[in-house]
Amino acid sequence: MIKNYIKIALRNLNKNKNYAFINISGLAVGMACCILIALYSQSELSFDTFHKKADRIVVVGSDGDFFGKMLSTPYPLADALVDEIPSVEKSVRVSDMGKLNLSTNGQDFVKINHGTYTEDSFFDIFSFDLIRGDSSQVLSAPNSIVLTPEASHQLFGDENPLGKSLYWQKRDTTKMLQVTGIVQDAPRNSSIEFGALVSLNTMDKNRRQPDSWHSYFIHTYALLKSHNAIALMPDRLKKLVKDHYKSHDKKQKAPSNSFFTTPITQFHLSDISNDSGFTGNRAYLYLFGSVALFILIIACVNYVNLATARISLRSQEVGVRKSLGALRSQVAGQFLGESIFLSVTSFLLGIVISIGALPYFNQLFGTSLQWQGHGMFLVELFLAAIGVGILAGLYPALYLSGFSPVTVLRNRMDVGGSGSWLRKTLVVSQFAIALVLIISALVVYKQLNYTQKADLGFDGKQVAAINLPNNHAWKMRKNIRNQLINYAGVEAVS
């Protein structure tokens, strides 16, 4: 029976090529848009889920009156979490170093992006693949460095770098580092990025300030003994703040800071400010998801409109089949099968379109989406395409299969009625949704165009922003200002 349904469906499509082209191409373009949006959403939601202990890892941040929520925390917090909160199994500190100037001979320096300070518990908590080296030792000794394969190739070529020394040019000084391991690059869906890992105890003790609870510059992560312990963390952290922020000076009030935790799997889409820049935004997922839903609705409505508009052409077929003994369920199954066949064909064509459009999508949205490793995701999309076929074809199938054979064969059937009323309603809804999307797109375009071209009252190319990297530089800001104002070509400094 299914084979017969497919034959009839193919004959009808071949007989009505324009109908088939409009339906398949319209649905394919709509599905291609939805596939790209689904791929983006799946990528955003998969951040940090590759860690084996992801359900027990939390990001610890601070919340103060002045800066608000931020990731920066005091250096001693990590040790206090393990020592004073029973539900914390381990903790790790991570600090961004920016670019590293490294050399094998002290002369030809290579810039390695995303240099990161961290400690030996890094590999106990996170599931980054250490290709070479002992995970418990690679970051324990001062002046140790773990390279990614790319960084290793830049510096040593195809040689084995383990045990070899590197010159690290840091401002006006040069330090020696020893390569202790090779770590696989962080996956694309990792919120922690690195090109090289340097042992945290390499950092000067004065900068680390291991006993200071008032210097915020380290990112702290904790591994809990159970994922249920996340609910207990707020109360435990409040007690920790009270114990460590007692001021001995009566004139000096203890800072009104508090700490909070966020599961690492939710971090990428959270509202926490990140020093390294924009991460993700859950509102964008809702927005894109709504757009994808509207596009699918328009495509389904388009199918229903075309199917019900051809009632008069298919009514004779229904009458003949019913007069020969076909049940309504069989006739409905035929039309529903045609709808599913069209939907699956459109899905396959939509996959081809989305593959071709993916590079442009990445360029437009600043993403780096790939198709590799999404086999299960494609299966889910295929099942969704079948669901779309059922939803789109359900009404035409039930409506067409309900004709009386006597009425149809005597040409007394009114092809208007409820079918005509439905088509008018669907067309109005279809245009309304399309107008909403078009108007929204225009508003967003106008807003973006305004932010890019609005007169700010100054020429941005003539203004330079200088970062003061540490407390020492911040204390010298007045001297820096006075020196800069004396340079030729500098009109003002603030």
Side-chain angles (χ1 to χ4, degrees):
M1 184 179 291
I2 295 175
K3 185 179 179 181
N4 187 48
Y5 284 170
I6 294 173
K7 280 185 179 179
I8 295 172
L10 289 173
R11 286 173 186 169
N12 279 318
L13 293 176
N14 186 53
K15 185 179 178 182
N16 302 280
K17 293 184 177 65
N18 291 337
Y19 166 79
F21 173 77
I22 293 172
N23 248 333
I24 292 175
S25 60
L27 200 53
V29 172
M31 283 191 171
C33 293
C34 293
I35 288 169
L36 289 173
I37 292 173
L39 193 64
Y40 169 80
S41 301
Q42 195 266 348
S43 174
E44 290 290 287
L45 292 170
S46 70
F47 260 74
D48 298 308
T49 55
F50 64 90
H51 296 296
K52 294 177 182 177
K53 304 171 185 176
D55 62 326
R56 295 192 286 134
I57 302 173
V58 294
V59 183
V60 185
S62 59
D63 189 1
D65 293 335
F66 188 74
F67 288 108
K69 283 190 174 183
M70 61 180 182
L71 288 181
S72 298
T73 56
Y75 188 95
L77 175 62
D79 294 328
L81 291 173
V82 177
D83 296 338
E84 301 176 29
I85 300 180
S87 55
V88 176
E89 183 177 325
K90 288 184 179 180
S91 64
V92 64
R93 303 174 182 91
V94 177
S95 180
D96 182 30
M97 304 167 67
K99 292 183 178 180
L100 292 178
N101 287 330
L102 301 176
S103 169
T104 56
N105 56 17
Q107 295 178 350
D108 304 316
F109 284 89
V110 175
K111 287 187 182 296
I112 304 298
N113 292 325
H114 299 297
T116 302
Y117 276 125
T118 189
E119 48 198 346
D120 49 9
S121 56
F122 184 81
F123 292 105
D124 294 333
I125 294 177
F126 302 115
S127 299
F128 296 113
D129 186 17
L130 189 66
I131 303 171
R132 292 180 180 178
D134 183 352
S135 61
S136 62
Q137 299 293 326
V138 288
L139 294 168
S140 58
N143 305 318
S144 300
I145 184 170
V146 177
L147 300 174
T148 60
E150 182 182 352
S152 175
H153 184 75
Q154 284 181 271
L155 292 161
F156 296 98
D158 296 329
E159 296 179 30
N160 181 4
L162 255 63
K164 295 186 177 180
S165 298
L166 285 171
Y167 293 87
W168 175 24
Q169 191 177 58
K170 188 180 178 185
R171 297 189 180 91
D172 299 329
T173 61
T174 301
K175 230 175 187 178
M176 297 301 296
L177 299 175
Q178 185 179 32
V179 181
T180 55
I182 301 293
V183 61
Q184 191 61 264
D185 293 283
R188 294 177 182 272
N189 59 342
S190 172
S191 58
I192 300 174
E193 298 179 336
F194 51 82
L197 301 172
V198 179
S199 55
L200 187 61
N201 48 19
T202 305
M203 187 189 294
D204 296 334
K205 189 173 182 180
N206 291 336
R207 190 184 166 198
R208 274 186 282 156
Q209 302 183 54
D211 300 319
S212 174
W213 285 85
H214 298 273
S215 180
Y216 292 73
F217 69 102
I218 286 282
H219 293 181
T220 303
Y221 299 83
L223 175 67
L224 307 182
K225 293 179 181 177
S226 167
H227 69 276
N228 296 324
I230 294 176
L232 305 175
M233 289 300 289
D235 292 335
R236 303 274 170 85
L237 289 172
K238 284 180 183 177
K239 184 180 183 304
L240 189 145
V241 169
K242 288 180 181 178
D243 292 341
H244 291 280
Y245 282 93
K246 294 175 181 177
S247 176
H248 298 290
D249 187 353
K250 295 181 180 179
K251 296 181 180 179
Q252 181 186 359
K253 294 182 179 179
S256 58
N257 279 28
S258 61
F259 298 113
F260 63 90
T261 57
T262 299
I264 195 169
T265 53
Q266 299 176 18
F267 167 68
H268 179 70
L269 296 175
S270 66
D271 59 352
I272 306 171
S273 61
N274 192 338
D275 295 339
S276 61
F278 174 76
T279 52
N281 194 322
R282 193 172 294 276
Y284 286 168
L285 292 187
Y286 295 141
L287 177 63
F288 286 161
S290 301
V291 170
L293 181 61
F294 284 144
I295 290 172
L296 266 185
I297 290 173
I298 290 174
C300 291
V301 166
N302 197 55
Y303 177 84
V304 174
N305 283 338
L306 291 172
T308 52
R310 297 176 68 250
I311 287 175
S312 59
L313 299 176
R314 303 296 298 271
S315 60
Q316 295 287 338
E317 175 192 339
V318 173
V320 171
R321 292 186 65 187
K322 278 196 167 185
S323 65
L324 293 174
L327 299 175
R328 181 177 182 180
S329 59
Q330 293 174 317
V331 177
Q334 168 65 44
F335 288 113
L336 203 56
E338 285 183 20
S339 175
I340 294 172
F341 178 79
L342 277 173
S343 180
V344 171
T345 304
S346 300
F347 169 72
L348 297 176
L349 183 57
I351 289 286
V352 175
I353 295 172
S354 60
I355 290 173
L358 188 58
Y360 303 100
F361 183 90
N362 284 333
Q363 185 178 359
L364 181 64
F365 290 97
T367 56
S368 54
L369 303 178
Q370 291 182 335
W371 278 104
Q372 287 84 351
H374 291 287
M376 194 61 197
F377 176 64
L378 287 175
V379 172
E380 293 172 356
L381 288 177
F382 179 77
L383 295 176
I386 294 176
V388 168
I390 293 173
L391 289 175
L394 194 60
Y395 175 79
L398 294 175
Y399 183 64
L400 290 169
S401 64
F403 293 155
S404 167
V406 177
T407 305
V408 171
L409 295 175
R410 288 182 178 178
N411 290 323
R412 294 180 180 177
M413 188 192 73
D414 179 15
V415 297
S418 62
S420 176
W421 176 84
L422 178 69
R423 285 199 306 277
K424 292 175 182 177
T425 303
L426 291 177
V427 167
V428 171
S429 303
Q430 190 178 25
F431 274 99
I433 293 172
L435 282 172
V436 168
L437 291 177
I438 292 169
I439 292 170
S440 300
L442 287 174
V443 169
V444 171
Y445 170 77
K446 290 287 234 177
Q447 288 291 323
L448 291 174
N449 189 56
Y450 174 77
T451 58
Q452 291 172 353
K453 297 182 179 180
D455 183 11
L456 301 176
F458 64 90
D459 186 352
K461 294 180 180 179
Q462 292 179 278
V463 178
I466 302 173
N467 179 39
L468 301 179
N470 49 48
N471 291 334
H472 180 65
W474 176 251
K475 292 174 183 177
M476 294 176 61
R477 64 190 183 280
K478 290 183 179 179
N479 293 333
I480 294 172
R481 179 191 180 282
N482 293 334
Q483 290 184 42
L484 287 173
I485 199 69
N486 292 324
Y487 287 147
V490 176
E491 184 176 328
V493 180
S494 176

